[in-house]
Amino acid sequence: KKFWKTQEVRELIKQNDQSAIVKAEEMITQLERLAAETGDDEYLPGPIQYTTLIEAYSHGGTVDAAQRAEKVINRLLSSVDSKDANPTTQMLNAIIGAYASTGTESSAEQATAILEKMEYIKDFGDGTIKPSVHSFAMTINAWSNVGSETAAHNAEEILKRLLEDYDEALEQDTEYAKELKPNNVVFNSVIDAWARSGSNSAGEKAESILLRMEALSKIKIYDVRPDTITFNTCIKAWCNSGHPDAPIKAEGLLRKLETNPQYPKQRG
């Protein structure tokens, strides 16, 4: 009964149609009204409808849209009505993505706060919400989009937290560990954060992450072998650093990539 509007909104989201937010809000209001008028709780919006609403907000690309999405989650988290939909990891990931897209320091802080809220619910809640590697990746991306040395440090700290959580999950919850397994995206995003930082030490920081990937790729539980995106972004970090050794270091990385066919080729 409640899926008749959901698909319409999703199509608008796919088309980046700015009316998606209005249509999503109308969908929630109409379903709540129908449930009240008919006395049929089957009409009440569920996780799919609320996720669609939050995804519409996340595609809005503004801080205001992200904040409105967060208000929806906070209302659901604080609701004592058992009829209300329970928040999901997918919903909170959508909010992180909304903040990440705006590219401001305050938005990156908000994205980090959402990640921390997910970690808190995982540790002290009912366990239904747990951050995934996707949650960490988008939070790192939020800091990468800021483009400062502080932002790059923060991105790297979040990567460290992911690695710690993954190691802990391997010992305590192997199923959850699969959802947390680090990938090239998170490492490459931190390297990108350094490439955008404008720091004189950007090249050194970026290359140290590349070397960490090489070391971890030799351990069976990891699958993070550097690829062409890793090397190209690391080269960019050296070139943007203004370091006197940047040309030599960048050329060395290029030579290493060209002479080692084991590194996967990726577009980007």
Side-chain angles (χ1 to χ4, degrees), residues 1-12 23-35 37-38 40-46 48-49 52:
K1 293 178 179 179
K2 57 192 175 188
F3 298 100
W4 56 287
K5 275 285 189 181
T6 308
Q7 191 57 40
E8 178 186 345
V9 176
R10 284 183 165 173
E11 286 300 320
L12 292 173
K23 291 292 185 181
E25 290 174 334
E26 288 177 353
M27 172 185 68
I28 298 295
T29 301
Q30 289 173 2
L31 290 172
E32 289 175 336
R33 187 178 65 248
L34 281 169
E37 290 174 351
T38 63
D40 187 350
D41 291 344
E42 286 296 313
Y43 277 115
L44 284 171
I48 293 175
Q49 286 70 43
T52 302

Side-chain angles (χ1 to χ4, degrees), residues 78-168:
S78 61
S79 176
V80 294
D81 191 339
S82 60
K83 296 178 182 177
D84 281 338
N86 292 319
T88 64
T89 296
Q90 187 179 359
M91 289 182 193
L92 274 79
N93 281 349
I95 298 176
I96 293 176
Y99 278 120
S101 67
T102 65
T104 66
E105 185 172 347
S106 61
S107 292
E109 289 171 351
Q110 289 296 112
T112 304
I114 298 294
L115 177 66
E116 290 171 349
K117 181 179 292 187
M118 295 174 78
E119 292 179 309
Y120 181 86
I121 295 172
K122 172 181 71 75
D123 293 333
F124 302 105
D126 58 10
T128 56
I129 294 177
K130 296 178 180 180
S132 63
V133 65
H134 191 45
S135 314
F136 283 90
M138 288 190 297
T139 307
I140 289 170
N141 187 51
W143 284 111
S144 176
N145 289 339
V146 174
S148 71
E149 185 170 1
T150 299
H153 277 293
N154 289 336
E156 192 163 351
E157 283 301 312
I158 291 168
L159 174 61
K160 289 178 181 177
R161 278 164 53 183
L162 169 61
L163 296 176
E164 290 170 0
D165 286 359
Y166 178 59
D167 287 341
E168 182 180 305

Side-chain angles (χ1 to χ4, degrees), residues 131-134 136-137 162-163 165-167 169-170 174-187 216 219-224:
S132 63
V133 65
H134 191 45
F136 283 90
L162 169 61
L163 296 176
D165 286 359
Y166 178 59
D167 287 341
L170 285 171
T174 53
E175 284 303 309
Y176 177 47
K178 294 176 184 177
E179 299 176 31
L180 270 181
K181 189 174 184 179
N183 54 35
N184 281 29
V185 173
V186 291
F187 281 88
L216 289 175
I219 304 173
K220 188 176 181 180
I221 58 174
Y222 288 93
D223 184 18
V224 291

